Amino acid sequence: MKRISLAYKLVLFFSALIFLIISIIVVYFYIGFTEVLENQIHKDLIAIAEGTEGQVLIFFKKIKSQSADWSSDKFICQQTEELVKTGNQDFSRALREHFLKNKLSLDPLVVVADILNTDMKTIASSDERRVGVEEQEHAEGKSKEELMALKYGDAMISQVMIEQESEIAGGVHPEYPVFHSLVPIKSTDNETTIGFLLLHFSADNLNKIVGGSFQVELGALSGQEFILNQKTSEMFLVNGDGFMITPS
């Protein structure tokens, strides 16, 4: 039997040692690089989520400001006060014309505008078929006393929901996500709540914000790089019950 020389054994030993050292170095750097990459991805996702969250919050702040602005419209306040006092439907028709001509035509995001009395019943609307519809669900669990105590500009924003046409008088809503803003209408002396303005908003702009196209429509040069370039990227909003309210 041929004996293996000492030199050959040394070559094998040092070769194995070098291979082991190289393997340890490769594994070490692989683990370190993976950890750095995961941390960077995590930070990037947090930055993207925070940026989107900021846009959504600004959007809803605008909704509240718009609702307060509409509820302080002198014509709306005066006509609502007269309608509540007299029940004269001429005031209801005047409010409808005002909504269609001077309000909804300027903001396509608003699907429907309603005037409710203090019992949450629709007494005027941009769609006359909705007059008489009960809207108790938009009280958000508040009692009549709590609703009457709302101050000027205290807008209550509902969760995003899908309303079926059959659930709305006259089939006003198509079957897509909407949300609502309820804000008190004060008397001309600004002391008494005489009714409520209920605005029905399309949630389509929320989809655009999450998808990055909203800022592009406003004039930004980009906004969808993350969504379009990352094949595994997903971003969507969920409501308080954990259900998706915007498409993936």
Side-chain angles (χ1 to χ4, degrees):
M1 183 176 179
K2 188 177 180 179
R3 297 180 61 185
I4 300 175
S5 67
L6 179 60
Y8 186 74
K9 290 180 179 179
L10 289 174
V11 170
L12 286 177
F13 173 76
F14 283 108
S15 296
L17 181 61
I18 292 172
F19 177 78
L20 179 61
I21 294 173
I22 292 175
S23 298
I24 293 174
I25 293 174
V26 169
V27 171
Y28 173 79
F29 279 103
Y30 174 78
I31 294 174
F33 178 76
T34 301
E35 184 176 351
V36 170
L37 183 60
E38 287 178 350
N39 288 336
Q40 186 60 51
I41 292 174
H42 183 64
K43 290 179 181 178
D44 289 344
L45 291 176
I46 289 177
I48 293 169
E50 288 180 343
T52 302
E53 180 185 30
Q55 291 185 57
V56 171
L57 292 175
I58 291 172
F59 174 75
F60 279 114
K61 183 175 179 62
K62 173 185 177 296
I63 293 299
K64 289 186 176 182
S65 297
Q66 178 180 359
S67 302
D69 178 62
W70 283 31
S71 70
S72 65
D73 183 303
K74 187 175 181 180
F75 183 85
I76 292 176
C77 293
Q78 290 177 341
Q79 297 297 300
T80 299
E81 192 164 17
E82 292 299 324
L83 177 58
V84 170
K85 286 179 180 178
T86 66
N88 189 329
Q89 292 305 300
D90 287 341
F91 297 110
S92 178
R93 285 187 285 272
L95 283 164
R96 175 176 177 271
E97 292 176 4
H98 182 63
F99 281 138
L100 293 175
K101 182 179 179 181
N102 302 319
K103 295 297 184 181
L104 270 67
S105 60
L106 301 178
D107 191 349
L109 187 63
V110 182
V111 181
V112 180
D114 295 333
I115 299 294
L116 313 180
N117 62 16
T118 55
D119 293 321
M120 300 297 287
K121 183 176 182 179
T122 306
I123 56 176
S125 174
S126 58
D127 190 308
E128 58 186 354
R129 297 170 296 180
R130 287 189 45 77
V131 174
V133 174
E134 297 283 349
E135 295 286 7
Q136 290 292 341
E137 69 271 22
H138 296 304
E140 300 292 334
K142 292 184 179 294
S143 66
K144 183 175 180 178
E145 290 73 21
E146 289 175 315
L147 291 173
M148 295 292 288
L150 290 174
K151 298 179 181 179
Y152 161 72
D154 283 346
M156 300 194 312
I157 307 295
S158 74
Q159 292 196 42
V160 176
M161 60 189 72
I162 295 180
E163 291 186 332
Q164 306 290 337
E165 288 189 356
S166 60
E167 296 176 353
I168 303 297
V172 171
H173 284 302
E175 191 176 341
Y176 59 73
V178 296
F179 62 92
H180 305 83
S181 175
L182 182 75
V183 62
I185 299 175
K186 297 295 184 178
S187 60
T188 51
D189 59 12
N190 202 33
E191 294 183 359
T192 308
T193 297
I194 56 175
F196 301 93
L197 173 67
L198 180 66
L199 300 180
H200 306 243
F201 291 89
S202 165
D204 184 53
N205 272 10
L206 288 176
N207 302 341
K208 293 179 179 178
I209 289 173
V210 173
S213 63
F214 183 69
Q215 64 197 62
V216 175
E217 290 184 2
L218 295 178
L221 297 178
S222 64
Q224 297 179 286
E225 293 297 317
F226 173 75
I227 298 296
L228 297 178
N229 294 334
Q230 307 297 325
K231 292 183 179 180
T232 59
S233 64
E234 286 189 298
M235 189 181 299
F236 49 86
L237 296 179
V238 297
N239 62 15
D241 297 321
F243 292 105
M244 289 173 58
I245 58 175
T246 61
S248 169

